[in-house]
Amino acid sequence: MKHLKPWGLLLGAAALTVGVSPVLAQVPEMIAAEAAPAAEAAPVLETTSYADLFSIAFPAGWQVSEQADAPQLVADSAGASGSLPAMRTEVTWQEAPPREVVGASLEALRAKGYTVSRYDAVAIDGVTAVRLWISEIPEEFPNAFITYVGYPTATATITSYYGDTTGNIDPVLMAIHQSFARSQSASTAP
């Protein structure tokens, strides 16, 4: 796998913070270098809403809990039936623009010495989102897939932790993260 080049991550973060269209945010070299193999079908998902802020979907059978503090939503694959590996996803909503949230997060990742093994920019909920694949985390789940979904005055951070690095995990991760949507009441709030 190709490791992160600092300018590539900065390009993706800049695209998120200034709201550049996803097409412009994806440099042709990045697309070619980071192209993933054909993925398996995504699992059946069940949508969960958090307050009047957002909704996101998780595979059937996942244990979902809400919290007042960040992360506001935590979903765990424990007890789920099927062939899914052990995973945990956390969703954090911050009333701060993406340039603040992403910058602080990137600094924390760098300070911890984590390895960014892949990155890209995509459209989620009609806005530009930056995605990072992190490896070599010295925890129960040594890998993470982080998506920053940026709005003008708020940022959602979706982080999925997992141990399994086979190709079977990508369709699950993509389906969960792509399902994120800000609620209508949150999008009309000042």
Side-chain angles (χ1 to χ4, degrees):
M1 279 188 198
K2 184 176 178 180
H3 289 285
L4 173 71
K5 292 182 181 176
W7 61 265
L9 182 55
L10 291 174
L11 173 65
L16 178 63
T17 60
V18 299
V20 175
S21 79
V23 174
L24 295 175
Q26 295 179 349
V27 176
E29 177 185 325
M30 286 175 54
I31 294 170
E34 303 302 331
E40 294 181 23
V44 174
L45 302 178
E46 297 175 345
T47 301
T48 299
S49 294
Y50 178 80
D52 285 334
L53 291 176
F54 61 83
S55 66
I56 189 167
F58 300 103
W62 278 36
Q63 297 172 355
V64 179
S65 61
E66 293 183 10
Q67 303 177 154
D69 296 322
Q72 286 87 359
L73 200 64
V74 177
D76 196 316
S77 67
S81 60
S83 61
L84 293 178
M87 290 189 290
R88 182 180 73 245
T89 296
E90 301 173 350
V91 183
T92 301
W93 179 268
Q94 293 177 273
E95 295 292 338
R99 71 179 157 272
E100 293 174 20
V101 174
V102 175
S105 180
L106 293 175
E107 182 59 32
L109 291 170
R110 186 195 62 74
K112 291 179 181 178
Y114 294 163
T115 301
V116 176
S117 54
R118 289 174 28 198
Y119 57 91
D120 67 6
V122 297
I124 295 177
D125 192 31
V127 298
T128 301
V130 173
R131 303 186 303 188
L132 305 174
W133 285 260
I134 310 297
S135 59
E136 301 176 21
I137 301 171
E139 302 288 332
E140 174 187 0
F141 297 114
N143 303 292
F145 176 54
I146 305 170
T147 301
Y148 304 97
V149 185
Y151 303 96
T153 60
T155 307
T157 304
I158 309 161
T159 306
S160 292
Y161 299 95
Y162 58 98
D164 183 350
T165 58
T166 66
N168 298 348
I169 195 87
D170 279 350
V172 177
L173 295 172
M174 298 298 175
I176 292 169
H177 289 234
Q178 281 296 137
S179 72
F180 182 87
R182 183 167 66 162
S183 71
Q184 290 297 342
S185 60
S187 62
T188 58

